[in-house]
Amino acid sequence: MSFGPETPVFQLAYPPSYAYRPVLLPVWVYQVTAPTGHSRTLDVFQTVTLRLCAAGVRDVGDLSRLIGLDRALCRTVIARLVEGRLLGPELKPTAAGHKTVADGEVAETDPRLVRVFQDPATGALLPRILVSDPVRADLRGHRGRWVTIQFGTAGASREVGALTLRGDGYPMRPAERDVLDACRSHDMAARGIRAGGRSSHDTARRIGFHGAANPAYLVCYVVEGDDGSGRMWSAEDPFAVGGGRFLADHLAARTENDEHLGRLIDDVLGRNRRERTAAARKVDRELAESARADIVNMLGEDIRDHPEVFTHLADIELSLVKDTARERENAARNAIRVFECILPALNERFPAGLPASKVPGVRERAFVLTAERLGATSVPPDIRRYCGHPAKGLVGDIVTAVWAAGANAHHPFATFLQHRPTLLEDLDRSRILRNNATHGSTGAPPQDELENIRTLAHEAARYLLGLSGGRPYRARG
């Protein structure tokens, strides 16, 4: 069992509408039974779309007009609802979709048969899964490492040369937890957020492997464009969810030892642009190193013990230095990712108990009183709404932390609220800014919001992680 001319080629996403160069990425494919989602609330566009469909709207154009969302983005929202089995044929909600409309929350999915994909060279799983049968690419010929792929239909087709990357190594059965992490990363990428933390041991018992690994190639697309790495080229996500940064980083690591791949990227960039790309990457690396050094100076060496939070904080610093609309959007996303990394682990350390009364009004009043006693100036409606049944996700983690802090004066969240009485309002505002940056047509936060975002993220690391090193916090001049 190895990679060769007979290895199947899967096309999981359509080519981008702009200039691209296809490459075939070798993977080992495992079929597993695993949970593919988590209890969560839908984002605002998914919620409105699902409710309109439940009300009888069946046309994408009508949905686009009613929501005020571009048609292409509207189709993406619909695709995520279909993938989550909330919408069925003709945009009719399924039974689970109707229940979601009523409950405002998506229940955890039952284990399903899915495919996970392993990098032959490292044994690492790609942070994506496939919940449907793969579609084979239409191949027209092989010439060594080059193949010809036909895109489109008869009368409107296009044949494009694609480079086959080398597939070395042997399949190594992944750990059950790694499979869960791939499922979780795919789910969160489809919702426009980065996964934080790892999955629990209990859920890992629900993973089942079916048969041995099989070799396959994935059709991926290299495109011109800066994804924030300074490369001046990027890659489209072959699974059509989230960004393709993980794939672009993977390809970039291969270019030094693969002359054919280097030439293909040169073709994407155009003649004489590779040197400029290398220079831009050098500057970017220096800026990134400077940003990380600034974080250590402000928060102390102990921040290195929390590598994911450290990365998000450094990315915020880097975004503010670059100061483009896209980088301001990144700052909003990374500020929320800091909390998405910290709060789940904090809530495991400090379990919360809910009030005995199950009457919604009583619980809500008790929650507001708890937050106010901790020092909060107010409790936003979106946080108050889930005080009786904290859902999975950021809002649920905030609610859980408030309940736990109310019963423990030494809880880090209690200390944070005493220092920052507007914390719940600031979190709600930052969450909205993150959602706008991810889904909105003009999502870059205004300049006067950026310092608040940065301060919030830094204070979260200092108070919630218990960091005491570094120099006193100062706003950027």
Side-chain angles (χ1 to χ4, degrees):
M1 183 172 57
S2 59
F3 295 91
E6 302 304 318
T7 301
V9 178
F10 297 153
Q11 182 183 345
L12 306 184
Y14 292 108
S17 57
Y18 39 90
Y20 61 89
R21 294 290 189 278
V23 297
L24 303 188
L25 180 69
V27 291
W28 294 112
V29 184
Y30 292 85
Q31 290 197 79
V32 300
T33 301
T36 58
H38 303 79
S39 299
R40 57 178 174 83
T41 55
L42 300 178
D43 66 40
V44 62
F45 295 112
Q46 291 172 327
T47 300
V48 173
T49 299
L50 188 58
R51 287 178 177 173
L52 287 173
C53 291
V57 179
R58 298 286 180 265
D59 181 76
V60 175
D62 290 339
L63 288 170
S64 174
R65 177 177 51 80
L66 291 169
I67 301 172
L69 196 64
D70 179 81
R71 274 177 176 261
L73 290 176
C74 200
R75 290 192 187 94
T76 299
V77 172
I78 292 169
R80 298 289 77 80
L81 293 172
V82 171
E83 183 179 277
R85 296 186 175 182
L86 301 180
L87 280 181
E90 300 178 359
L91 301 187
K92 292 181 179 179
T94 61
H98 284 296
K99 187 175 187 304
T100 299
V101 171
D103 297 346
E105 178 179 292
V106 184
E108 182 177 6
T109 59
D110 293 328
R112 299 168 64 185
L113 184 65
V114 302
R115 289 174 175 83
V116 294
F117 303 85
Q118 185 180 59
D119 174 19
T122 64
L125 290 185
L126 302 187
R128 300 290 185 266
I129 63 174
L130 185 65
V131 296
S132 58
D133 291 333
V135 176
R136 288 204 179 196
D138 192 1
L139 301 184
R140 293 304 187 198
H142 291 263
R143 299 184 309 281
R145 291 181 58 194
W146 292 89
V147 301
T148 301
I149 302 178
Q150 179 175 309
F151 294 128
T153 57
S157 63
R158 178 187 180 191
E159 291 189 352
V160 180
L163 174 65
T164 302
L165 300 185
R166 297 187 182 93
D168 301 320
Y170 298 92
M172 296 172 281
R173 178 164 164 164
E176 293 176 328
R177 174 171 254 182
D178 292 335
V179 174
L180 270 177
D181 286 338
C183 293
R184 186 167 183 261
S185 295
H186 183 101
D187 176 61
M188 298 188 80
R191 293 185 279 137
I193 58 178
R194 180 184 291 182
R198 290 175 66 86
S199 306
S200 69
H201 290 284
D202 291 339
T203 312
R205 298 175 189 157
R206 301 168 62 184
I207 303 299
F209 288 84
H210 300 268
N214 291 303
Y217 288 107
L218 300 184
V219 181
C220 307
Y221 308 101
V222 176
V223 298
E224 182 180 359
D226 186 359
D227 61 359
S229 67
R231 278 187 286 258
M232 297 173 69
W233 63 269
S234 187
E236 292 287 300
D237 187 323
F239 296 83
V241 298
R245 179 69 177 266
F246 78 92
L247 177 60
D249 290 343
H250 179 76
L251 295 180
R254 282 177 169 257
T255 54
E256 294 181 3
N257 300 314
D258 192 329
E259 184 179 352
H260 289 286
L261 180 58
R263 289 176 181 172
L264 181 144
I265 292 173
D266 282 347
D267 288 342
V268 172
L269 297 176
R271 185 173 294 179
N272 298 325
R273 293 185 64 180
R274 190 169 190 177
E275 289 185 5
R276 280 184 285 165
T277 300
R281 291 186 66 188
K282 182 176 183 295
V283 170
D284 249 51
R285 283 195 298 269
E286 292 173 352
L287 288 175
E289 290 170 3
S290 176
R292 294 175 74 85
D294 285 345
I295 295 299
V296 171
N297 287 337
M298 286 182 281
L299 297 174
E301 287 288 340
D302 287 348
I303 187 61
R304 297 185 188 275
D305 295 333
H306 308 276
E308 195 165 5
V309 175
F310 186 20
T311 296
H312 294 322
L313 292 172
D315 285 348
I316 293 173
E317 297 297 300
L318 195 57
S319 295
L320 298 184
V321 169
K322 293 182 177 180
D323 194 27
T324 64
R326 180 173 181 172
E327 293 298 338
R328 291 198 296 274
E329 292 175 3
N330 287 338
R333 295 188 189 98
N334 280 300
I336 288 300
R337 286 167 182 164
V338 167
F339 285 90
E340 289 174 338
C341 289
I342 296 175
L343 288 179
L346 190 68
N347 288 334
E348 286 185 11
R349 284 175 51 207
F350 299 92
L354 300 181
S357 173
K358 294 185 179 180
V359 179
V362 173
R363 277 195 172 179
E364 184 173 336
R365 288 193 293 274
F367 181 78
V368 172
L369 284 173
T370 298
E372 289 178 347
R373 285 170 183 155
L374 290 169
T377 54
S378 67
V379 182
D382 278 351
I383 294 178
R384 189 185 309 170
R385 184 189 313 165
Y386 296 101
C387 64
H389 48 92
K392 296 289 185 181
L394 178 63
V395 174
D397 286 334
I398 295 170
V399 168
T400 301
V402 171
W403 281 124
N408 185 346
H410 300 292
H411 193 292
F413 204 84
T415 307
F416 196 2
L417 259 174
Q418 290 166 11
H419 167 79
R420 193 182 183 101
T422 60
L423 174 59
L424 299 183
E425 302 163 66
D426 295 337
L427 273 171
D428 193 54
R429 173 62 181 160
S430 297
R431 186 178 61 86
I432 293 170
L433 289 172
R434 189 278 303 276
N435 290 343
N436 289 342
T438 301
H439 302 291
S441 57
T442 54
Q447 188 67 39
D448 58 0
E449 294 274 13
L450 294 180
E451 188 58 41
N452 291 332
I453 289 172
R454 176 176 178 263
T455 305
L456 180 65
H458 282 230
E459 290 183 351
R462 188 178 294 280
Y463 284 93
L464 300 183
L465 295 178
L467 303 179
S468 57
R471 56 179 169 78
Y473 177 82
R474 292 185 300 175
R476 295 174 67 91

